[in-house]
Amino acid sequence: MAILRTALFALLALAGATPALADPLSVTSRMLVERRVIAADGTASVELVAPAKVVPGDRVTIALAYRNTGTAPIADLVLANPVPKGIVFRGPAPGGPIPEMTVDGRNWGALPTLVVALPTGVTRAATAADVVAVRWRLARPIAPGAHGDLSFQAVLK
């Protein structure tokens, strides 16, 4: 059984709502902001923290956490997350799987394969700023009790 988490589900999760699920899959979404931290020795590093306040230009990471709370594996899992309004997609999180992207909600793929249709009927190559949603297709069934995290980076407009 293919399970697709739609943009609406992800928006509810980002808003802190807990949608009722008809399956044993728990999904939560959160937004973290990059903050530069200076250590006692003067070295700088970047940490992801829960935002108290965000301002235009802040770099954020949108993270999806999933868990199979049931007793049977979940196969053919596809998890989607919109790029919220006011946020510009930057790219996949370092070290994580690369999501498929869409610029129109219908056509999904790697960014270099996507095009944007202009009002004149001409198309142009899509850029990261055109991405409206991302999704991940999990290749392996999720075993009972198994969990994982998926994320992408963005910047606040």
Side-chain angles (χ1 to χ4, degrees):
M1 169 175 80
I3 299 172
L4 175 63
R5 296 291 170 240
T6 64
L8 176 59
F9 175 84
L11 282 173
L12 289 171
L14 276 175
T18 306
L21 297 177
D23 58 67
L25 183 67
S26 168
V27 179
T28 57
S29 183
R30 61 192 173 126
M31 187 179 302
L32 302 166
V33 67
E34 292 181 12
R35 289 290 181 233
R36 189 167 180 226
V37 178
I38 307 297
D41 65 1
T43 59
S45 64
V46 174
E47 292 182 357
L48 294 175
V49 298
K53 178 182 177 183
V54 291
V55 297
D58 277 352
R59 293 176 166 222
V60 298
T61 294
I62 298 176
L64 240 63
Y66 62 89
R67 176 180 298 276
N68 181 349
T69 60
T71 58
I74 300 173
D76 301 318
L77 184 61
V78 176
L79 294 172
N81 203 113
V83 175
K85 291 201 182 293
I87 300 277
V88 176
F89 178 81
R90 280 185 22 223
I98 297 172
E100 293 178 301
M101 293 156 243
T102 185
V103 297
D104 60 12
R106 294 181 315 272
N107 300 301
W108 293 83
L111 189 57
T113 67
L114 300 174
V115 295
V116 174
L118 301 175
T120 60
V122 176
T123 61
R124 66 167 172 78
T127 67
D130 297 313
V131 174
V132 297
V134 299
R135 73 178 179 192
W136 296 266
R137 294 178 182 276
L138 279 62
R140 297 184 186 133
I142 308 306
H147 58 89
D149 296 292
L150 304 164
S151 57
F152 66 93
Q153 296 180 322
V155 66
L156 189 65
K157 287 184 188 178

